[in-house]
Amino acid sequence: MGIESLVVFIIIGAIAGWLAGLIVSGFGFGLIGNIVVGIIGAFIAGWLFPRLGFAIGGGILASIINATIGAIILLLIVKVLKRA
């Protein structure tokens, strides 16, 4: 993985984490936290969506949408576990 790919990966993670924090109320992690949440969300979506037969497509926008959906799933799981 080149440095350009790593930068794009981090930017997509930051955007996805920020969007997920806005959508799931009560979550705001700052820049580093948003990047981590977005990257973990991207892995969740990358694992879950093919098993469900769900695909959005390719490109940067599709990657942001996938990572955001995965990050929302992650934040909802965290929210449920915090209540328990």
Side-chain angles (χ1 to χ4, degrees):
M1 179 183 319
I3 190 74
E4 298 88 9
S5 298
L6 185 62
V7 170
V8 170
F9 197 65
I10 290 172
I11 290 170
I12 289 172
I15 293 169
W18 174 72
L19 287 172
L22 290 176
I23 294 169
V24 179
S25 62
F27 285 94
F29 297 109
L31 180 62
I32 301 298
N34 286 342
I35 291 171
V36 171
V37 168
I39 291 172
I40 294 172
F43 283 117
I44 290 171
W47 175 80
L48 183 63
F49 288 172
R51 283 162 179 71
L52 297 175
F54 182 72
I56 291 177
I60 298 286
L61 185 60
S63 297
I64 291 172
I65 293 169
N66 281 335
T68 301
I69 294 170
I72 290 169
I73 292 169
L74 173 67
L75 292 179
L76 290 175
I77 290 171
V78 168
K79 197 175 212 181
V80 167
L81 292 177
K82 277 180 106 174
R83 286 188 193 172

